[in-house]
Amino acid sequence: MKPADIDFMREAIAEARKGAALGEVPVGAVLVRDGQVIGRGFNQPISSHDPSAHAEMVALRAAAAADANYRLPDTTLYVTLEPCTMCAGLLVHSRIRRLVYGASEPRAGAVVSRAQVLAQPWMNHRVEVDGGVLAEECSDLLKTFFRDRRG
């Protein structure tokens, strides 16, 4: 873990809270290059009517549009929840250098919990991974959201 990881994960948590305020599952992401946030996102598949509008996808789309490039080398993605298979593949195709995530996703996590997509030998790009950054805070955000929805 690097010193700035906590600060950037806090920014991802702030993004997750924006999604929660809209009734979306509270997952947030920020993409960083050279110490600067170049893309932000929170889950919004419900409000955008887009099943691919996961926090990671939204943040990377914003950064790619700003860079006018579909590749995002030399970047670190901070996300509050371990990515799913779609988003893990997105990291490879985008050439993200490093992934930092908060809470593990034991049911559908595709980085360490289940599919381990990024570790597959046929992937043509390697992503460095650090997990568990502010994991308890990230997990509590999700638990509170689902507890409140159940009433």
Side-chain angles (χ1 to χ4, degrees):
M1 186 167 62
K2 298 180 180 180
D5 288 351
I6 290 178
D7 293 334
F8 287 122
M9 186 59 74
R10 289 201 189 288
E11 291 201 41
I13 290 168
E15 291 296 314
R17 291 184 196 287
K18 291 177 187 176
L22 296 174
E24 300 278 2
V25 175
V27 178
V30 294
L31 187 67
V32 175
R33 180 187 294 131
D34 298 327
Q36 300 294 315
V37 175
I38 62 168
R40 299 176 178 277
F42 56 85
N43 267 9
Q44 44 195 284
I46 298 167
S47 58
S48 68
H49 311 290
D50 179 356
S52 70
H54 290 194
E56 302 94 323
M57 184 76 72
V58 173
L60 269 61
R61 282 178 178 160
D67 270 6
N69 192 348
Y70 72 108
R71 298 270 168 89
L72 297 162
D74 302 318
T75 57
T76 298
L77 179 68
Y78 295 86
V79 61
T80 58
L81 184 65
E82 177 185 356
C84 70
T85 54
M86 175 183 69
C87 293
L90 173 66
L91 301 182
V92 171
H93 292 295
S94 304
R95 302 300 191 262
I96 303 303
R97 184 189 47 155
R98 182 171 174 246
L99 165 68
V100 179
Y101 68 89
S104 293
E105 184 14 320
R107 287 184 299 255
V111 176
V112 297
S113 296
R114 289 289 178 183
Q116 301 173 352
V117 170
L118 301 178
Q120 298 309 311
W122 61 82
M123 288 295 177
N124 63 348
H125 174 73
R126 296 283 166 238
V127 178
E128 180 184 332
V129 177
D130 289 303
V133 175
L134 298 180
E136 188 171 333
E137 191 172 341
C138 294
S139 179
D140 287 347
L141 188 59
L142 288 158
K143 287 176 186 173
T144 299
F145 175 81
F146 286 114
R147 184 188 65 231
D148 291 349
R149 285 192 67 162
R150 286 190 291 271

